[in-house]
Amino acid sequence: MSRAIAIIGGTGPQGMGLALRWARAGEAVIIGSRDAARAQQAADSIRERVGSQAQVSGMENSAAAAATDLHALTVPFEGAAALLKQLKPAFRPGSVLIDTTVPLAASVGGRASRMLGVWQGSAAQQTAELVPKGVSVVAAFQNVSAEVLNGDDEVDCDVIVCSDDPNATQIAIELAAKIPRIRAIDGGKLENARIVEQITALLIGLNIRHKGHGGIRITGFADSVYKSA
Amino acid sequence: MSRAIAIIGGTGPQGMGLALRWARAGEAVIIGSRDAARAQQAADSIRERVGSQAQVSGMENSAAAAATDLHALTVPFEGAAALLKQLKPAFRPGSVLIDTTVPLAASVGGRASRMLGVWQGSAAQQTAELVPKGVSVVAAFQNVSAEVLNGDDEVDCDVIVCSDDPNATQIAIELAAKIPRIRAIDGGKLENARIVEQITALLIGLNIRHKGHGGIRITGFADSVYKSA
């Protein structure tokens, strides 16, 4: 995979964790932020951890989005819609956007173990409504703990990938499988993201109750169903 | 645990699978059905598989419910509300009802990989509204494959147990842990059943897509968080 991954809203925990892991895997990463200087600082901190060979840069979100045709959206849900509208001119047709966002009730001051109802069914389906035509949305990485991603341990979690575009599914599966011990599994249509997103709220509730960094594994399928490095 | 478990609407795949596994674990099981003769046939078939020492009988649903104060509800969702209303006089205060039902869209002729919206939030919360006061509802076993339960293999799945009554949670956790390789985990309040129930629809979608009998495991917590035999 030669194209860079723009991590939109990438200076938060989820974005930084994915940037770290993908940079370690040799992917080229562009961290996007409202503030270009903050994005560059974030890129520097990733380079410091990964080593000088890390292909990582930082840009303002629109510039990051315009620089490539592969994007990961990692802003908190409450900021997603406005940001997507702002970035509309920056997305090229044929681009793929990996949506990692989850409509936690925390977005409106509620609990992180509860969900908001999104009219379209899920954050990912809302995103699909807001990107320009010709941009494929794929939902993935919602259940992977940001704390674990930002550490050095292997990631004991499966990534369920949902999209209406098999090409976008394939790209997200390959990117998931680059992270040590993550297994990716094709979760079918984008509409299934409404369930995968909710699993995050369940895991946050378990984290609070049982003091840990919860993840999930899907059992019961042939080894060939799961993709891993 | 000395009291019998009445499996209400127990002649379907989920009820039979739990009856088989609990009878094998030495629990006393009463299979309930609309039709007492059918319940007795189901009990005979369990006894045939488990051996003559199996403590299993069959009764009409109301008689099964009245015979004990520990119940598992295993009817399809479309039959649950009417059955619970009918059984209201049979449930004693202090009883525990384990709700395994899932509001799949298949209940109204839709897909089993999609969900119905339930006004109360989940099937289990609807059940909690319909049982008499003093009956505790605990949601569990929704994600365990009926096909796997009805077989002889160990069960590669965790059971997430949700209830507002810690005593009911404890009872369901102990019953889950009696099934080989199942691990039980306290999932918090009954309201969290709305997420756990949806995982079943996700797993059914994966079963169709990938040809298997999907289950889930929760990762990321200390061993002491999980209860198993």
Side-chain angles (χ1 to χ4, degrees):
Chain A
M1 199 168 303
S2 59
R3 50 187 169 172
I5 310 155
I7 305 184
I8 308 297
T11 56
Q14 198 75 10
M16 288 296 279
L18 289 172
L20 175 68
R21 298 298 183 144
W22 284 331
R24 277 190 181 148
E27 298 292 313
V29 170
I30 306 164
I31 297 176
S33 170
R34 262 180 305 186
D35 176 357
R38 202 164 156 228
Q40 283 153 15
Q41 280 167 14
D44 289 345
S45 82
I46 298 290
R47 193 176 307 100
E48 217 162 281
R49 289 187 63 182
V50 175
S52 58
Q53 80 287 4
Q55 299 176 64
V56 56
S57 59
M59 298 181 191
E60 186 276 327
N61 279 321
S62 299
T68 182
D69 57 1
L70 177 55
H71 312 95
L73 182 69
T74 61
V75 280
F77 175 72
E78 62 271 26
L83 182 56
L84 287 167
K85 285 174 195 164
Q86 178 204 320
L87 296 183
K88 220 164 177 172
F91 290 127
R92 291 194 291 267
S95 291
V96 168
L97 178 82
I98 302 170
D99 192 348
T100 76
T101 64
V102 176
L104 300 175
S107 295
V108 295
R111 294 191 194 163
S113 57
R114 287 177 169 171
M115 298 287 288
L116 296 179
V118 179
W119 191 269
Q120 295 87 343
S122 61
Q125 289 166 287
Q126 176 184 282
T127 295
E129 251 188 37
L130 292 171
V131 295
K133 275 206 173 174
V135 175
S136 288
V137 173
V138 49
F141 299 101
Q142 309 97 323
N143 306 149
V144 180
S145 158
E147 285 82 359
V148 175
L149 280 178
N150 281 291
D152 299 318
D153 292 341
E154 296 184 327
V155 181
D156 189 5
C157 192
D158 288 345
V159 168
I160 303 166
V161 177
C162 301
S163 178
D164 297 331
D165 175 358
N167 174 53
T169 295
Q170 190 52 38
I171 288 168
I173 284 177
E174 285 170 17
L175 283 175
K178 284 180 185 281
I179 301 175
R181 267 198 81 199
I182 281 187
R183 299 184 311 180
I185 182 167
D186 181 350
K189 289 191 175 184
L190 191 66
E191 67 174 40
N192 295 334
R194 69 187 79 190
I195 304 178
V196 182
E197 290 175 9
Q198 296 204 25
I199 292 172
T200 304
L202 181 72
L203 293 174
I204 292 171
L206 293 175
N207 289 349
I208 296 166
R209 173 168 294 270
H210 298 300
K211 315 283 175 226
H213 300 300
I216 58 153
R217 292 290 194 187
I218 301 293
T219 63
F221 297 101
D223 287 346
S224 59
V225 167
Y226 307 96
K227 309 301 171 199
S228 57
Chain B
M1 200 169 301
S2 60
R3 51 187 169 172
I5 310 155
I7 305 184
I8 308 297
T11 57
Q14 198 74 10
M16 288 296 280
L18 289 171
L20 175 69
R21 298 297 183 144
W22 285 331
R24 276 189 182 149
E27 296 293 312
V29 171
I30 306 166
I31 296 176
S33 170
R34 263 181 305 187
D35 176 357
R38 202 165 156 227
Q40 283 154 15
Q41 281 168 13
D44 289 346
S45 82
I46 299 289
R47 194 175 306 102
E48 218 163 278
R49 290 187 65 182
V50 176
S52 58
Q53 80 288 2
Q55 298 176 65
V56 55
S57 57
M59 298 181 191
E60 186 277 327
N61 278 320
S62 299
T68 181
D69 57 1
L70 178 54
H71 312 94
L73 182 69
T74 61
V75 281
F77 175 71
E78 63 270 28
L83 181 56
L84 287 166
K85 285 174 193 164
Q86 179 204 320
L87 295 183
K88 219 162 178 175
F91 290 127
R92 291 194 290 266
S95 292
V96 168
L97 179 84
I98 302 170
D99 192 349
T100 76
T101 65
V102 177
L104 300 175
S107 295
V108 295
R111 295 191 195 164
S113 57
R114 288 177 168 172
M115 297 288 286
L116 297 177
V118 178
W119 191 269
Q120 295 87 345
S122 61
Q125 289 166 289
Q126 175 184 283
T127 294
E129 250 188 38
L130 293 170
V131 294
K133 274 205 174 172
V135 175
S136 288
V137 173
V138 50
F141 298 102
Q142 309 97 322
N143 305 150
V144 180
S145 158
E147 285 81 0
V148 175
L149 281 177
N150 281 290
D152 298 320
D153 292 341
E154 295 183 329
V155 181
D156 189 5
C157 192
D158 288 346
V159 168
I160 303 165
V161 177
C162 302
S163 178
D164 298 331
D165 175 359
N167 174 53
T169 294
Q170 190 52 38
I171 288 169
I173 283 176
E174 286 171 15
L175 283 174
K178 283 179 184 283
I179 300 175
R181 269 198 79 200
I182 282 186
R183 301 184 309 180
I185 183 166
D186 181 350
K189 287 193 177 183
L190 191 66
E191 67 175 40
N192 295 336
R194 70 186 79 190
I195 304 178
V196 182
E197 291 175 8
Q198 296 205 25
I199 292 172
T200 303
L202 180 73
L203 293 175
I204 291 171
L206 293 175
N207 289 348
I208 295 166
R209 174 167 292 271
H210 299 299
K211 315 285 175 223
H213 300 301
I216 58 153
R217 292 291 192 186
I218 301 294
T219 63
F221 297 101
D223 287 346
S224 59
V225 167
Y226 307 96
K227 308 301 172 198
S228 55

